[in-house]
Amino acid sequence: MPHQRPHRPTGAAGPAFDLSAWVAAPRPEAAPGIYRQGYRQIDPDRAEAGRVPTWPLLLRAVLNAVVGWFAYLYGTQLLTYVLVWFGGQTGIGPLAEPSESEAMLTLLVVNAVVLAVVIKVFGRMGRWPEVWRRYVAPLLSRTVTQEAPAADAEVAEAAARSADPWVVLRAGGAGVAAGRLDGEAVGDIDYVRIRQAWESAQADPVFVLAFVAQVAARGAAAFAHPSEVRELPGRDEQHDLLLRQVRLGTTQDVPKNPLTHRAAGFALDPAVLGTSLLAVGPAGTGKTARLARPVAEALCLQALAGTACAVVIGSAEADLGPDAWYDVVIAPGDPGSAYGLDLYGAARDPDEAAARLAEALLPDELTARAESARTALQQVVGPFHAAYGRYPGVRELRALLGGETEALGALAKALGTAGRLALYERDLAHRERQRGRADDPGALLADRLALLDRPAFEGAFATDGTGRPPFAMRVLDHPLRVRVKLPERGHPEAARMLSRLVVGQFVQAAGVREDRSLFAGLVVDDVSAALDAHTVRGLQRMRGANAGAVLLLRTLVDLPEALRAPLFGAVGCRMAFPGIAPWDGRLFSEAWGTHLVRETAVTHTPDTSGGLLRRAGRLGRKALSGTTAQTESVTTREVERLRWSPSDLAHALPAGHAVVSLTAVSGEQVPPLLVDLRD
């Protein structure tokens, strides 16, 4: 199917947006992973027939036609002779001595019977119906009737169809609103957003009146995103916001791919992203440019349409779209950043907030001490929150974990003033006893927090209102577009901690949302430092929370070995890029399993059949040619083979391609597909 660029709203780069044609474009039901706009379902029988090359097909048809012609000529004579002989033997009048009219009728019947048998037998062997569909019918359509062939006619009809995009509004009593929109330049984002508002207004007639008033006053800008942005600058991917799909490439026409997906556009949407996607491939294979950026763009467009919220995490240098795509850009380490980050995710429970922060602060090699680290952090975060009504900042938290006498004394005094000292006195006493011990987890956490207590991060994590406005992950029930730029170049270990913290907060917040009408999408450009056991378990819970993640990884070796198999089990979609290591390919191969294939084995054995004369002939042939006469035995059987072997994934994938398997939230699965991401 040809790749067509998307329509553009008026005022954007490219041609004007034809709303009527876009709404009326065919979108048939299809399996997950198929870009449905303009998709035409494939008849399996025709598809298999279409695999026969042109010249062998035509040659076989002509040979069968010639043989069939002679069979018809001699068949009519033979059948006539048989009927005459049979009439003479039995004495049946019409056959023995027929009149002129009876003879004519008999000849017609004989010709019709023989012709029907010839067409039936030789037409099937020569595939005449397929020749008619592929070559004769289109030729006749162009030369005789001057009409387009059937396939072209369908495309032309779909392109020529014009529909009233606001017919639902007119039928529902919002004709005034529809009339206002008829005179406006409405883009695909505007259409989806207004239609979404109309569907919500159906709950109460009062809402319908408010809807009409809003559209009559603002036109296509009605119900706009809080940022008042109605289009993304530099938008260059193909999207169908009506189905919330983003087209990433073309599924290749190869035997390994299912017949329904061959040569069809490959697309992702919330139905499959809701099970989360893991993509593995070395640097430079296109993971960011051909997967992360298009998905981030799609989520941002859906956020402007009021159907999703997006959180995109990557290094400051990663090309995940310009800052203008996002409402909130968090760049710790950049003094020009307008927003900071809430280290506690605005959690209402201090113990919960402390637990997530402790897991983010610990390095992978010290995860065994996670429980004691969580306890130590809870022993100071809880009392501080009770005393001051807020969470401690980085410097305050570092002082408390380090056991500074002045900081602990000030906290005890504040608790006494608030009347909460008795409740938290045991926690403070335990912290005091742990101070100075070799196994004190507080000292370890204080050392890790020192990485965030740098001048470059001044004001980025403030909790007392003196720094930048902190972004909290609790706002996932709003159509926000958030970009987190990690300082991987200047502060790599701090970037690791922040990525783990933000991803953990997203997974936690997405699972406890009360309003799940928006799809919460997460894109992580490099997830090697962002995962722990708690986050991996949370990925599975997001399936039922209308949320999902796209996780990019250079190699599975970057993850702790204990996380690799659980991560593969937690995600529903898996994607392998060219050049992955064989040990990475082994996990993909095992996850995708085996399937039955038809295998043909040919065996050659010396020919020992026949009598003395045949044996003598074979001896003479061997003496003259030097070759031994052999018999050929062909055996066909069905055997189980890996869908994609580790060697194929590591060495046989072409550049610009990927192998991807999908699982929809509904449970429907698509086996691995070879996709060309450049088309």
Side-chain angles (χ1 to χ4, degrees), residues 402-417:
E404 294 184 8
T405 305
E406 184 179 348
L408 290 173
L411 178 57
K413 182 178 179 181
L415 284 171
T417 303

Side-chain angles (χ1 to χ4, degrees), residues 38-336:
Y39 170 69
R40 288 181 303 183
Q41 295 178 336
I42 300 175
D43 183 356
D45 296 332
R46 290 194 181 188
E48 287 298 328
R51 296 173 60 86
V52 180
T54 298
W55 287 113
L57 178 65
L58 294 178
L59 180 60
R60 188 179 297 114
V62 171
L63 289 177
N64 277 273
V66 172
V67 176
W69 172 252
F70 285 105
Y72 166 71
L73 292 179
Y74 292 106
T76 54
Q77 297 178 13
L78 178 62
L79 185 57
T80 302
Y81 174 79
V82 170
L83 291 176
V84 172
W85 176 84
F86 180 76
Q89 294 294 321
T90 59
I92 299 177
L95 297 178
E97 297 180 359
S99 63
E100 184 176 351
S101 60
E102 291 173 340
M104 184 64 68
L105 179 61
T106 301
L107 287 176
L108 288 176
V109 172
V110 167
N111 279 269
V113 171
V114 174
L115 185 62
V117 173
V118 167
I119 292 176
K120 180 69 173 178
V121 174
F122 293 96
R124 172 176 293 182
M125 291 191 299
R127 296 192 176 186
W128 293 353
E130 181 59 27
V131 173
W132 175 271
R133 286 195 298 265
R134 288 172 63 176
Y135 306 106
V136 180
L139 181 63
L140 291 177
S141 298
R142 287 192 294 266
T143 59
V144 179
T145 63
Q146 296 184 353
E147 295 179 359
D152 295 339
E154 293 176 3
V155 177
E157 180 184 356
R161 274 187 300 173
S162 60
D164 179 8
W166 311 114
V167 63
V168 178
L169 272 63
R170 301 184 205 278
V176 175
R180 170 67 191 271
L181 294 170
D182 285 337
E184 298 247 349
V186 182
D188 51 356
I189 298 175
D190 298 328
Y191 179 81
V192 174
R193 187 184 66 250
I194 293 173
R195 194 188 70 165
Q196 192 88 351
W198 171 253
E199 292 175 355
S200 301
Q202 301 305 299
D204 193 316
V206 176
F207 296 158
V208 174
L209 296 177
F211 172 88
V212 173
Q214 173 79 265
V215 174
R218 303 197 62 192
F223 309 102
H225 188 266
S227 65
E228 294 295 330
V229 175
R230 295 169 53 196
E231 183 58 80
L232 288 184
R235 170 181 170 184
D236 57 2
E237 298 298 333
Q238 187 171 7
H239 304 270
D240 184 11
L241 290 181
L242 207 57
L243 298 178
R244 301 165 68 184
Q245 289 188 315
V246 53
R247 190 185 191 278
L248 300 181
T250 302
T251 306
Q252 296 298 279
D253 188 4
V254 295
K256 280 182 175 290
N257 286 339
L259 188 61
T260 54
H261 287 72
R262 294 177 192 172
F266 174 75
L268 296 177
D269 56 39
V272 294
L273 292 179
T275 63
S276 297
L277 184 149
L278 173 67
V280 180
T285 53
K287 299 190 307 298
T288 300
R290 297 185 177 124
L291 176 63
R293 179 184 168 110
V295 172
E297 181 178 323
L299 291 173
C300 289
L301 289 171
Q302 293 171 26
L304 293 180
T307 59
C309 59
V311 177
V312 181
I313 305 171
S315 68
E317 296 78 24
D319 183 14
L320 296 171
D323 290 351
W325 281 11
Y326 301 96
D327 303 307
V328 176
V329 178
I330 306 167
D334 181 4

